[in-house]
Each structure stands twice: as structure tokens, then as C-alpha cells.
PDB file of all heavy atoms in Angstrom:
ATOM      1  N   LEU A  26      98.485  99.728 100.078  1.00  0.00           N
ATOM      2  CA  LEU A  26      98.524  98.270  99.884  1.00  0.00           C
ATOM      3  C   LEU A  26      99.597  97.625 100.769  1.00  0.00           C
ATOM      4  O   LEU A  26      99.367  96.572 101.365  1.00  0.00           O
ATOM      5  CB  LEU A  26      98.753  97.931  98.408  1.00  0.00           C
ATOM      6  CG  LEU A  26      97.572  98.224  97.495  1.00  0.00           C
ATOM      7  CD1 LEU A  26      97.980  98.116  96.020  1.00  0.00           C
ATOM      8  CD2 LEU A  26      96.410  97.297  97.795  1.00  0.00           C
ATOM      9  N   LYS A  27     100.772  98.265 100.880  1.00  0.00           N
ATOM     10  CA  LYS A  27     101.833  97.736 101.741  1.00  0.00           C
ATOM     11  C   LYS A  27     101.381  97.711 103.202  1.00  0.00           C
ATOM     12  O   LYS A  27     101.631  96.739 103.927  1.00  0.00           O
ATOM     13  CB  LYS A  27     103.111  98.567 101.609  1.00  0.00           C
ATOM     14  CG  LYS A  27     103.849  98.338 100.320  1.00  0.00           C
ATOM     15  CD  LYS A  27     105.072  99.231 100.242  1.00  0.00           C
ATOM     16  CE  LYS A  27     105.642  99.224  98.839  1.00  0.00           C
ATOM     17  NZ  LYS A  27     106.658 100.251  98.639  1.00  0.00           N
ATOM     18  N   ALA A  28     100.732  98.786 103.636  1.00  0.00           N
ATOM     19  CA  ALA A  28     100.248  98.837 105.018  1.00  0.00           C
ATOM     20  C   ALA A  28      99.204  97.752 105.265  1.00  0.00           C
ATOM     21  O   ALA A  28      99.188  97.131 106.328  1.00  0.00           O
ATOM     22  CB  ALA A  28      99.669 100.215 105.324  1.00  0.00           C
ATOM     23  N   LEU A  29      98.352  97.522 104.284  1.00  0.00           N
ATOM     24  CA  LEU A  29      97.343  96.459 104.423  1.00  0.00           C
ATOM     25  C   LEU A  29      98.008  95.087 104.489  1.00  0.00           C
ATOM     26  O   LEU A  29      97.570  94.214 105.242  1.00  0.00           O
ATOM     27  CB  LEU A  29      96.345  96.516 103.260  1.00  0.00           C
ATOM     28  CG  LEU A  29      95.361  97.678 103.300  1.00  0.00           C
ATOM     29  CD1 LEU A  29      94.644  97.815 101.958  1.00  0.00           C
ATOM     30  CD2 LEU A  29      94.364  97.504 104.425  1.00  0.00           C
ATOM     31  N   GLU A  30      99.065  94.885 103.691  1.00  0.00           N
ATOM     32  CA  GLU A  30      99.795  93.622 103.739  1.00  0.00           C
ATOM     33  C   GLU A  30     100.402  93.404 105.129  1.00  0.00           C
ATOM     34  O   GLU A  30     100.384  92.300 105.665  1.00  0.00           O
ATOM     35  CB  GLU A  30     100.891  93.585 102.668  1.00  0.00           C
ATOM     36  CG  GLU A  30     100.343  93.421 101.268  1.00  0.00           C
ATOM     37  CD  GLU A  30     101.409  93.624 100.186  1.00  0.00           C
ATOM     38  OE1 GLU A  30     102.613  93.775 100.517  1.00  0.00           O
ATOM     39  OE2 GLU A  30     101.024  93.633  99.005  1.00  0.00           O
ATOM     40  N   GLN A  31     100.926  94.478 105.727  1.00  0.00           N
ATOM     41  CA  GLN A  31     101.510  94.374 107.065  1.00  0.00           C
ATOM     42  C   GLN A  31     100.443  94.074 108.112  1.00  0.00           C
ATOM     43  O   GLN A  31     100.716  93.401 109.098  1.00  0.00           O
ATOM     44  CB  GLN A  31     102.251  95.663 107.425  1.00  0.00           C
ATOM     45  CG  GLN A  31     103.502  95.860 106.626  1.00  0.00           C
ATOM     46  CD  GLN A  31     104.146  97.212 106.879  1.00  0.00           C
ATOM     47  OE1 GLN A  31     103.599  98.054 107.585  1.00  0.00           O
ATOM     48  NE2 GLN A  31     105.314  97.420 106.296  1.00  0.00           N
ATOM     49  N   GLU A  32      99.242  94.579 107.897  1.00  0.00           N
ATOM     50  CA  GLU A  32      98.122  94.312 108.816  1.00  0.00           C
ATOM     51  C   GLU A  32      97.860  92.812 108.896  1.00  0.00           C
ATOM     52  O   GLU A  32      97.600  92.262 109.946  1.00  0.00           O
ATOM     53  CB  GLU A  32      96.887  95.073 108.329  1.00  0.00           C
ATOM     54  CG  GLU A  32      95.616  94.710 109.027  1.00  0.00           C
ATOM     55  CD  GLU A  32      95.343  95.574 110.238  1.00  0.00           C
ATOM     56  OE1 GLU A  32      96.054  96.546 110.497  1.00  0.00           O
ATOM     57  OE2 GLU A  32      94.393  95.228 110.939  1.00  0.00           O
ATOM     58  N   ASN A  33      97.897  92.148 107.737  1.00  0.00           N
ATOM     59  CA  ASN A  33      97.760  90.698 107.622  1.00  0.00           C
ATOM     60  C   ASN A  33      96.576  90.139 108.416  1.00  0.00           C
ATOM     61  O   ASN A  33      96.708  89.230 109.219  1.00  0.00           O
ATOM     62  CB  ASN A  33      99.059  89.998 108.028  1.00  0.00           C
ATOM     63  CG  ASN A  33      99.065  88.549 107.554  1.00  0.00           C
ATOM     64  OD1 ASN A  33      98.398  88.208 106.587  1.00  0.00           O
ATOM     65  ND2 ASN A  33      99.804  87.708 108.247  1.00  0.00           N
ATOM     66  N   SER A  34      95.418  90.695 108.178  1.00  0.00           N
ATOM     67  CA  SER A  34      94.187  90.189 108.790  1.00  0.00           C
ATOM     68  C   SER A  34      93.232  89.793 107.669  1.00  0.00           C
ATOM     69  O   SER A  34      93.481  90.080 106.501  1.00  0.00           O
ATOM     70  CB  SER A  34      93.540  91.280 109.649  1.00  0.00           C
ATOM     71  OG  SER A  34      93.103  92.351 108.824  1.00  0.00           O
ATOM     72  N   ASN A  35      92.146  89.114 108.025  1.00  0.00           N
ATOM     73  CA  ASN A  35      91.145  88.771 107.007  1.00  0.00           C
ATOM     74  C   ASN A  35      90.639  90.029 106.323  1.00  0.00           C
ATOM     75  O   ASN A  35      90.500  90.071 105.103  1.00  0.00           O
ATOM     76  CB  ASN A  35      89.974  88.005 107.627  1.00  0.00           C
ATOM     77  CG  ASN A  35      90.345  86.587 107.986  1.00  0.00           C
ATOM     78  OD1 ASN A  35      91.279  86.016 107.425  1.00  0.00           O
ATOM     79  ND2 ASN A  35      89.621  86.016 108.932  1.00  0.00           N
ATOM     80  N   TRP A  36      90.349  91.067 107.130  1.00  0.00           N
ATOM     81  CA  TRP A  36      89.848  92.320 106.574  1.00  0.00           C
ATOM     82  C   TRP A  36      90.852  92.926 105.601  1.00  0.00           C
ATOM     83  O   TRP A  36      90.486  93.359 104.512  1.00  0.00           O
ATOM     84  CB  TRP A  36      89.543  93.315 107.699  1.00  0.00           C
ATOM     85  CG  TRP A  36      89.184  94.659 107.184  1.00  0.00           C
ATOM     86  CD1 TRP A  36      87.975  95.079 106.748  1.00  0.00           C
ATOM     87  CD2 TRP A  36      90.085  95.769 107.012  1.00  0.00           C
ATOM     88  NE1 TRP A  36      88.046  96.390 106.329  1.00  0.00           N
ATOM     89  CE2 TRP A  36      89.340  96.833 106.479  1.00  0.00           C
ATOM     90  CE3 TRP A  36      91.430  95.966 107.268  1.00  0.00           C
ATOM     91  CZ2 TRP A  36      89.889  98.075 106.191  1.00  0.00           C
ATOM     92  CZ3 TRP A  36      91.983  97.201 106.980  1.00  0.00           C
ATOM     93  CH2 TRP A  36      91.211  98.236 106.445  1.00  0.00           C
ATOM     94  N   SER A  37      92.137  92.958 105.979  1.00  0.00           N
ATOM     95  CA  SER A  37      93.132  93.590 105.102  1.00  0.00           C
ATOM     96  C   SER A  37      93.310  92.798 103.807  1.00  0.00           C
ATOM     97  O   SER A  37      93.453  93.394 102.737  1.00  0.00           O
ATOM     98  CB  SER A  37      94.469  93.766 105.819  1.00  0.00           C
ATOM     99  OG  SER A  37      95.067  92.524 106.114  1.00  0.00           O
ATOM    100  N   ARG A  38      93.269  91.470 103.880  1.00  0.00           N
ATOM    101  CA  ARG A  38      93.391  90.657 102.663  1.00  0.00           C
ATOM    102  C   ARG A  38      92.194  90.868 101.740  1.00  0.00           C
ATOM    103  O   ARG A  38      92.346  91.000 100.523  1.00  0.00           O
ATOM    104  CB  ARG A  38      93.565  89.184 103.021  1.00  0.00           C
ATOM    105  CG  ARG A  38      94.960  88.857 103.574  1.00  0.00           C
ATOM    106  CD  ARG A  38      95.170  87.371 103.774  1.00  0.00           C
ATOM    107  NE  ARG A  38      94.384  86.830 104.866  1.00  0.00           N
ATOM    108  CZ  ARG A  38      94.715  86.896 106.157  1.00  0.00           C
ATOM    109  NH1 ARG A  38      95.833  87.493 106.517  1.00  0.00           N
ATOM    110  NH2 ARG A  38      93.944  86.359 107.078  1.00  0.00           N
ATOM    111  N   GLU A  39      90.995  90.921 102.306  1.00  0.00           N
ATOM    112  CA  GLU A  39      89.800  91.194 101.494  1.00  0.00           C
ATOM    113  C   GLU A  39      89.874  92.584 100.874  1.00  0.00           C
ATOM    114  O   GLU A  39      89.499  92.776  99.712  1.00  0.00           O
ATOM    115  CB  GLU A  39      88.539  91.087 102.352  1.00  0.00           C
ATOM    116  CG  GLU A  39      88.187  89.673 102.762  1.00  0.00           C
ATOM    117  CD  GLU A  39      87.025  89.630 103.741  1.00  0.00           C
ATOM    118  OE1 GLU A  39      86.251  90.597 103.836  1.00  0.00           O
ATOM    119  OE2 GLU A  39      86.896  88.597 104.424  1.00  0.00           O
ATOM    120  N   THR A  40      90.364  93.550 101.629  1.00  0.00           N
ATOM    121  CA  THR A  40      90.484  94.918 101.135  1.00  0.00           C
ATOM    122  C   THR A  40      91.500  94.988 100.001  1.00  0.00           C
ATOM    123  O   THR A  40      91.255  95.649  98.979  1.00  0.00           O
ATOM    124  CB  THR A  40      90.859  95.873 102.275  1.00  0.00           C
ATOM    125  OG1 THR A  40      89.862  95.781 103.299  1.00  0.00           O
ATOM    126  CG2 THR A  40      90.954  97.306 101.795  1.00  0.00           C
ATOM    127  N   ILE A  41      92.627  94.311 100.149  1.00  0.00           N
ATOM    128  CA  ILE A  41      93.635  94.272  99.080  1.00  0.00           C
ATOM    129  C   ILE A  41      93.027  93.685  97.813  1.00  0.00           C
ATOM    130  O   ILE A  41      93.193  94.243  96.718  1.00  0.00           O
ATOM    131  CB  ILE A  41      94.879  93.462  99.514  1.00  0.00           C
ATOM    132  CG1 ILE A  41      95.666  94.223 100.582  1.00  0.00           C
ATOM    133  CG2 ILE A  41      95.771  93.139  98.312  1.00  0.00           C
ATOM    134  CD1 ILE A  41      96.751  93.393 101.261  1.00  0.00           C
ATOM    135  N   ASN A  42      92.326  92.576  97.941  1.00  0.00           N
ATOM    136  CA  ASN A  42      91.700  91.949  96.768  1.00  0.00           C
ATOM    137  C   ASN A  42      90.710  92.892  96.096  1.00  0.00           C
ATOM    138  O   ASN A  42      90.651  92.970  94.871  1.00  0.00           O
ATOM    139  CB  ASN A  42      91.010  90.635  97.157  1.00  0.00           C
ATOM    140  CG  ASN A  42      92.004  89.547  97.487  1.00  0.00           C
ATOM    141  OD1 ASN A  42      93.134  89.568  97.017  1.00  0.00           O
ATOM    142  ND2 ASN A  42      91.591  88.603  98.306  1.00  0.00           N
ATOM    143  N   THR A  43      89.940  93.612  96.884  1.00  0.00           N
ATOM    144  CA  THR A  43      88.978  94.575  96.329  1.00  0.00           C
ATOM    145  C   THR A  43      89.706  95.704  95.609  1.00  0.00           C
ATOM    146  O   THR A  43      89.352  96.063  94.478  1.00  0.00           O
ATOM    147  CB  THR A  43      88.081  95.145  97.446  1.00  0.00           C
ATOM    148  OG1 THR A  43      87.360  94.072  98.048  1.00  0.00           O
ATOM    149  CG2 THR A  43      87.100  96.168  96.884  1.00  0.00           C
ATOM    150  N   ILE A  44      90.728  96.262  96.241  1.00  0.00           N
ATOM    151  CA  ILE A  44      91.481  97.369  95.646  1.00  0.00           C
ATOM    152  C   ILE A  44      92.106  96.949  94.320  1.00  0.00           C
ATOM    153  O   ILE A  44      92.054  97.687  93.331  1.00  0.00           O
ATOM    154  CB  ILE A  44      92.555  97.890  96.621  1.00  0.00           C
ATOM    155  CG1 ILE A  44      91.891  98.646  97.773  1.00  0.00           C
ATOM    156  CG2 ILE A  44      93.578  98.776  95.909  1.00  0.00           C
ATOM    157  CD1 ILE A  44      92.841  99.031  98.897  1.00  0.00           C
ATOM    158  N   LEU A  45      92.686  95.748  94.281  1.00  0.00           N
ATOM    159  CA  LEU A  45      93.386  95.305  93.075  1.00  0.00           C
ATOM    160  C   LEU A  45      92.445  95.026  91.905  1.00  0.00           C
ATOM    161  O   LEU A  45      92.897  94.882  90.770  1.00  0.00           O
ATOM    162  CB  LEU A  45      94.251  94.084  93.388  1.00  0.00           C
ATOM    163  CG  LEU A  45      95.443  94.363  94.296  1.00  0.00           C
ATOM    164  CD1 LEU A  45      96.199  93.081  94.615  1.00  0.00           C
ATOM    165  CD2 LEU A  45      96.366  95.421  93.685  1.00  0.00           C
ATOM    166  N   GLN A  46      91.156  94.951  92.151  1.00  0.00           N
ATOM    167  CA  GLN A  46      90.194  94.782  91.061  1.00  0.00           C
ATOM    168  C   GLN A  46      89.771  96.104  90.442  1.00  0.00           C
ATOM    169  O   GLN A  46      89.190  96.142  89.366  1.00  0.00           O
ATOM    170  CB  GLN A  46      88.961  94.041  91.575  1.00  0.00           C
ATOM    171  CG  GLN A  46      89.258  92.600  91.934  1.00  0.00           C
ATOM    172  CD  GLN A  46      88.016  91.868  92.363  1.00  0.00           C
ATOM    173  OE1 GLN A  46      86.940  92.114  91.845  1.00  0.00           O
ATOM    174  NE2 GLN A  46      88.168  90.958  93.300  1.00  0.00           N
ATOM    175  N   MET A  47      90.057  97.202  91.113  1.00  0.00           N
ATOM    176  CA  MET A  47      89.619  98.523  90.670  1.00  0.00           C
ATOM    177  C   MET A  47      90.552  99.105  89.610  1.00  0.00           C
ATOM    178  O   MET A  47      91.702  98.719  89.499  1.00  0.00           O
ATOM    179  CB  MET A  47      89.556  99.489  91.864  1.00  0.00           C
ATOM    180  CG  MET A  47      88.694  99.030  93.002  1.00  0.00           C
ATOM    181  SD  MET A  47      87.005  98.809  92.453  1.00  0.00           S
ATOM    182  CE  MET A  47      86.354  97.797  93.740  1.00  0.00           C
ATOM    183  N   SER A  48      90.045 100.079  88.896  1.00  0.00           N
ATOM    184  CA  SER A  48      90.839 100.799  87.914  1.00  0.00           C
ATOM    185  C   SER A  48      91.986 101.512  88.627  1.00  0.00           C
ATOM    186  O   SER A  48      91.755 102.302  89.550  1.00  0.00           O
ATOM    187  CB  SER A  48      89.962 101.824  87.200  1.00  0.00           C
ATOM    188  OG  SER A  48      90.739 102.859  86.642  1.00  0.00           O
ATOM    189  N   PRO A  49      93.239 101.247  88.223  1.00  0.00           N
ATOM    190  CA  PRO A  49      94.374 101.926  88.858  1.00  0.00           C
ATOM    191  C   PRO A  49      94.267 103.456  88.773  1.00  0.00           C
ATOM    192  O   PRO A  49      94.577 104.160  89.733  1.00  0.00           O
ATOM    193  CB  PRO A  49      95.581 101.407  88.079  1.00  0.00           C
ATOM    194  CG  PRO A  49      95.140 100.081  87.562  1.00  0.00           C
ATOM    195  CD  PRO A  49      93.678 100.252  87.243  1.00  0.00           C
ATOM    196  N   THR A  50      93.813 103.952  87.645  1.00  0.00           N
ATOM    197  CA  THR A  50      93.653 105.400  87.503  1.00  0.00           C
ATOM    198  C   THR A  50      92.611 105.921  88.480  1.00  0.00           C
ATOM    199  O   THR A  50      92.835 106.920  89.176  1.00  0.00           O
ATOM    200  CB  THR A  50      93.254 105.761  86.058  1.00  0.00           C
ATOM    201  OG1 THR A  50      94.258 105.272  85.159  1.00  0.00           O
ATOM    202  CG2 THR A  50      93.092 107.260  85.881  1.00  0.00           C
ATOM    203  N   SER A  51      91.485 105.231  88.562  1.00  0.00           N
ATOM    204  CA  SER A  51      90.424 105.654  89.482  1.00  0.00           C
ATOM    205  C   SER A  51      90.900 105.652  90.919  1.00  0.00           C
ATOM    206  O   SER A  51      90.559 106.551  91.695  1.00  0.00           O
ATOM    207  CB  SER A  51      89.203 104.740  89.351  1.00  0.00           C
ATOM    208  OG  SER A  51      88.645 104.842  88.073  1.00  0.00           O
ATOM    209  N   LEU A  52      91.679 104.653  91.303  1.00  0.00           N
ATOM    210  CA  LEU A  52      92.195 104.587  92.665  1.00  0.00           C
ATOM    211  C   LEU A  52      93.052 105.805  92.990  1.00  0.00           C
ATOM    212  O   LEU A  52      92.890 106.426  94.046  1.00  0.00           O
ATOM    213  CB  LEU A  52      93.020 103.316  92.860  1.00  0.00           C
ATOM    214  CG  LEU A  52      92.238 102.016  92.941  1.00  0.00           C
ATOM    215  CD1 LEU A  52      93.183 100.818  92.846  1.00  0.00           C
ATOM    216  CD2 LEU A  52      91.419 101.956  94.214  1.00  0.00           C
ATOM    217  N   LYS A  53      93.949 106.145  92.091  1.00  0.00           N
ATOM    218  CA  LYS A  53      94.858 107.260  92.364  1.00  0.00           C
ATOM    219  C   LYS A  53      94.136 108.606  92.320  1.00  0.00           C
ATOM    220  O   LYS A  53      94.424 109.491  93.128  1.00  0.00           O
ATOM    221  CB  LYS A  53      96.042 107.232  91.407  1.00  0.00           C
ATOM    222  CG  LYS A  53      97.006 106.096  91.741  1.00  0.00           C
ATOM    223  CD  LYS A  53      98.301 106.229  90.999  1.00  0.00           C
ATOM    224  CE  LYS A  53      99.298 105.203  91.501  1.00  0.00           C
ATOM    225  NZ  LYS A  53     100.628 105.407  90.925  1.00  0.00           N
ATOM    226  N   VAL A  54      93.202 108.753  91.398  1.00  0.00           N
ATOM    227  CA  VAL A  54      92.439 110.005  91.332  1.00  0.00           C
ATOM    228  C   VAL A  54      91.590 110.149  92.592  1.00  0.00           C
ATOM    229  O   VAL A  54      91.505 111.233  93.181  1.00  0.00           O
ATOM    230  CB  VAL A  54      91.568 110.060  90.061  1.00  0.00           C
ATOM    231  CG1 VAL A  54      90.585 111.224  90.104  1.00  0.00           C
ATOM    232  CG2 VAL A  54      92.449 110.154  88.817  1.00  0.00           C
ATOM    233  N   THR A  55      90.975 109.064  93.034  1.00  0.00           N
ATOM    234  CA  THR A  55      90.134 109.100  94.227  1.00  0.00           C
ATOM    235  C   THR A  55      90.947 109.434  95.470  1.00  0.00           C
ATOM    236  O   THR A  55      90.514 110.222  96.315  1.00  0.00           O
ATOM    237  CB  THR A  55      89.382 107.767  94.401  1.00  0.00           C
ATOM    238  OG1 THR A  55      88.585 107.539  93.248  1.00  0.00           O
ATOM    239  CG2 THR A  55      88.521 107.778  95.643  1.00  0.00           C
ATOM    240  N   LEU A  56      92.134 108.864  95.599  1.00  0.00           N
ATOM    241  CA  LEU A  56      92.981 109.171  96.750  1.00  0.00           C
ATOM    242  C   LEU A  56      93.340 110.656  96.765  1.00  0.00           C
ATOM    243  O   LEU A  56      93.266 111.311  97.810  1.00  0.00           O
ATOM    244  CB  LEU A  56      94.244 108.309  96.739  1.00  0.00           C
ATOM    245  CG  LEU A  56      95.175 108.489  97.920  1.00  0.00           C
ATOM    246  CD1 LEU A  56      94.476 108.167  99.240  1.00  0.00           C
ATOM    247  CD2 LEU A  56      96.422 107.618  97.753  1.00  0.00           C
ATOM    248  N   LYS A  57      93.681 111.196  95.605  1.00  0.00           N
ATOM    249  CA  LYS A  57      93.987 112.628  95.540  1.00  0.00           C
ATOM    250  C   LYS A  57      92.746 113.445  95.900  1.00  0.00           C
ATOM    251  O   LYS A  57      92.836 114.450  96.617  1.00  0.00           O
ATOM    252  CB  LYS A  57      94.488 113.014  94.152  1.00  0.00           C
ATOM    253  CG  LYS A  57      94.844 114.488  94.048  1.00  0.00           C
ATOM    254  CD  LYS A  57      95.509 114.833  92.735  1.00  0.00           C
ATOM    255  CE  LYS A  57      95.900 116.311  92.732  1.00  0.00           C
ATOM    256  NZ  LYS A  57      96.756 116.632  91.602  1.00  0.00           N
ATOM    257  N   GLU A  58      91.593 113.019  95.413  1.00  0.00           N
ATOM    258  CA  GLU A  58      90.338 113.715  95.711  1.00  0.00           C
ATOM    259  C   GLU A  58      90.070 113.749  97.211  1.00  0.00           C
ATOM    260  O   GLU A  58      89.699 114.782  97.770  1.00  0.00           O
ATOM    261  CB  GLU A  58      89.188 113.034  94.991  1.00  0.00           C
ATOM    262  CG  GLU A  58      87.839 113.604  95.324  1.00  0.00           C
ATOM    263  CD  GLU A  58      86.703 112.791  94.743  1.00  0.00           C
ATOM    264  OE1 GLU A  58      86.930 111.667  94.254  1.00  0.00           O
ATOM    265  OE2 GLU A  58      85.570 113.288  94.799  1.00  0.00           O
ATOM    266  N   LEU A  59      90.244 112.622  97.878  1.00  0.00           N
ATOM    267  CA  LEU A  59      90.024 112.560  99.326  1.00  0.00           C
ATOM    268  C   LEU A  59      90.967 113.498 100.063  1.00  0.00           C
ATOM    269  O   LEU A  59      90.569 114.172 101.015  1.00  0.00           O
ATOM    270  CB  LEU A  59      90.189 111.127  99.830  1.00  0.00           C
ATOM    271  CG  LEU A  59      89.124 110.139  99.375  1.00  0.00           C
ATOM    272  CD1 LEU A  59      89.526 108.715  99.732  1.00  0.00           C
ATOM    273  CD2 LEU A  59      87.777 110.496  99.962  1.00  0.00           C
ATOM    274  N   ARG A  60      92.207 113.531  99.628  1.00  0.00           N
ATOM    275  CA  ARG A  60      93.185 114.398 100.286  1.00  0.00           C
ATOM    276  C   ARG A  60      92.873 115.871 100.041  1.00  0.00           C
ATOM    277  O   ARG A  60      93.005 116.695 100.936  1.00  0.00           O
ATOM    278  CB  ARG A  60      94.582 114.040  99.810  1.00  0.00           C
ATOM    279  CG  ARG A  60      94.945 112.634 100.295  1.00  0.00           C
ATOM    280  CD  ARG A  60      96.405 112.517 100.587  1.00  0.00           C
ATOM    281  NE  ARG A  60      96.632 111.294 101.324  1.00  0.00           N
ATOM    282  CZ  ARG A  60      97.155 110.195 100.790  1.00  0.00           C
ATOM    283  NH1 ARG A  60      97.517 110.174  99.531  1.00  0.00           N
ATOM    284  NH2 ARG A  60      97.325 109.123 101.539  1.00  0.00           N
ATOM    285  N   LYS A  61      92.485 116.199  98.814  1.00  0.00           N
ATOM    286  CA  LYS A  61      92.131 117.598  98.522  1.00  0.00           C
ATOM    287  C   LYS A  61      90.873 117.993  99.293  1.00  0.00           C
ATOM    288  O   LYS A  61      90.796 119.084  99.841  1.00  0.00           O
ATOM    289  CB  LYS A  61      91.878 117.777  97.017  1.00  0.00           C
ATOM    290  CG  LYS A  61      93.119 117.813  96.172  1.00  0.00           C
ATOM    291  CD  LYS A  61      92.777 117.971  94.700  1.00  0.00           C
ATOM    292  CE  LYS A  61      92.145 119.284  94.407  1.00  0.00           C
ATOM    293  NZ  LYS A  61      92.902 120.208  93.619  1.00  0.00           N
ATOM    294  N   GLY A  62      89.900 117.099  99.310  1.00  0.00           N
ATOM    295  CA  GLY A  62      88.621 117.394  99.945  1.00  0.00           C
ATOM    296  C   GLY A  62      88.714 117.584 101.441  1.00  0.00           C
ATOM    297  O   GLY A  62      87.865 118.245 102.042  1.00  0.00           O
ATOM    298  N   LYS A  63      89.742 117.043 102.052  1.00  0.00           N
ATOM    299  CA  LYS A  63      89.923 117.144 103.503  1.00  0.00           C
ATOM    300  C   LYS A  63      89.941 118.600 103.969  1.00  0.00           C
ATOM    301  O   LYS A  63      89.480 118.914 105.061  1.00  0.00           O
ATOM    302  CB  LYS A  63      91.225 116.439 103.896  1.00  0.00           C
ATOM    303  CG  LYS A  63      91.560 116.511 105.354  1.00  0.00           C
ATOM    304  CD  LYS A  63      92.857 115.779 105.633  1.00  0.00           C
ATOM    305  CE  LYS A  63      93.225 115.878 107.097  1.00  0.00           C
ATOM    306  NZ  LYS A  63      94.487 115.210 107.381  1.00  0.00           N
ATOM    307  N   ASN A  64      90.453 119.481 103.129  1.00  0.00           N
ATOM    308  CA  ASN A  64      90.592 120.888 103.501  1.00  0.00           C
ATOM    309  C   ASN A  64      89.628 121.799 102.752  1.00  0.00           C
ATOM    310  O   ASN A  64      89.859 123.000 102.666  1.00  0.00           O
ATOM    311  CB  ASN A  64      92.042 121.335 103.266  1.00  0.00           C
ATOM    312  CG  ASN A  64      93.012 120.550 104.107  1.00  0.00           C
ATOM    313  OD1 ASN A  64      92.796 120.363 105.303  1.00  0.00           O
ATOM    314  ND2 ASN A  64      94.057 120.056 103.494  1.00  0.00           N
ATOM    315  N   MET A  65      88.574 121.232 102.213  1.00  0.00           N
ATOM    316  CA  MET A  65      87.614 122.017 101.436  1.00  0.00           C
ATOM    317  C   MET A  65      86.258 122.022 102.133  1.00  0.00           C
ATOM    318  O   MET A  65      85.951 121.110 102.885  1.00  0.00           O
ATOM    319  CB  MET A  65      87.460 121.418 100.026  1.00  0.00           C
ATOM    320  CG  MET A  65      88.733 121.456  99.199  1.00  0.00           C
ATOM    321  SD  MET A  65      88.655 120.451  97.692  1.00  0.00           S
ATOM    322  CE  MET A  65      87.394 121.280  96.756  1.00  0.00           C
TER     323      MET A  65
END
């Protein structure tokens, strides 16, 4: 979210708004899943 704020573009603002509507737990579990899956 901080990196998106620094981007400060229409796309990054829309992405921030989308992310902030999601379940916080789901966001963190999904990020861990993506990182684990990278090497699987």
C-alpha cells in the first residue's frame, strides 16, 4: 500500500481503493500464498 501511494497514479489510487475493500485476513493469507507458491 505504501509503494502504491508513492506511485501516485490513477492506477495506484484505484488499486489502493480495491485493496482496502478486501478482507484484511484474506489479503495477508493471499500474499503469503503467492510467495510460497513462487517456489512450488
Side-chain angles (χ1 to χ4, degrees):
L26 289 169
K27 286 178 192 169
L29 288 167
E30 287 170 6
Q31 290 174 354
E32 170 91 7
N33 196 26
S34 66
N35 287 336
W36 173 83
S37 66
R38 286 187 290 278
E39 289 173 20
T40 302
I41 290 169
N42 289 335
T43 299
I44 288 172
L45 292 177
Q46 292 183 35
M47 304 300 162
S48 157
T50 302
S51 296
L52 287 168
K53 288 192 172 187
V54 170
T55 301
L56 183 59
K57 181 172 183 169
E58 175 188 11
L59 292 170
R60 294 213 167 104
K61 284 179 66 112
K63 178 180 178 181
N64 299 313
M65 297 168 65

